[in-house]
Amino acid sequence: MSAHCQLTGSQPGFGNNISHSHRRTSRRFDPNIQRKRYWLPGEGRYVRLRLSAKAIKTVDVIGVEAAVARIRARGVKV
């Protein structure tokens, strides 16, 4: 899935647009996904991750090594 965060696992939510006449049409709430490149010092290489804006802040707090470990624990190849 394209709108999917590798760290948090957040993915699109679905709901309805409601017009002035109250007709409902389906819509999609996408997470704010960004591609970010991080230097992984333990492996001596860069990794490119697809992260939500919230997950980028999480990486800033816990560090890139711990974030990649969490991603790998979810079964995602990095």
Side-chain angles (χ1 to χ4, degrees), residues 12-78:
F14 295 90
N16 290 310
N17 278 325
I18 303 180
S19 71
H20 179 70
S21 65
H22 217 67
R23 289 180 62 106
R24 293 164 188 247
T25 55
S26 65
R27 63 161 295 175
R28 183 171 142 152
F29 296 90
D30 285 329
N32 186 5
I33 299 295
Q34 309 291 325
R35 285 180 62 107
K36 186 111 167 92
R37 193 174 83 146
Y38 289 102
W39 174 252
L40 200 57
E43 298 180 16
R45 67 183 183 107
Y46 285 99
V47 291
R48 191 177 298 273
L49 302 175
R50 290 180 56 85
L51 300 172
S52 63
K54 180 181 177 181
I56 291 173
K57 295 173 191 174
T58 303
V59 171
D60 291 342
V61 172
I62 67 173
V64 69
E65 295 280 351
V68 169
R70 283 189 193 179
I71 292 170
R72 287 182 174 147
R74 294 183 71 238
V76 178
K77 184 181 176 204
V78 176

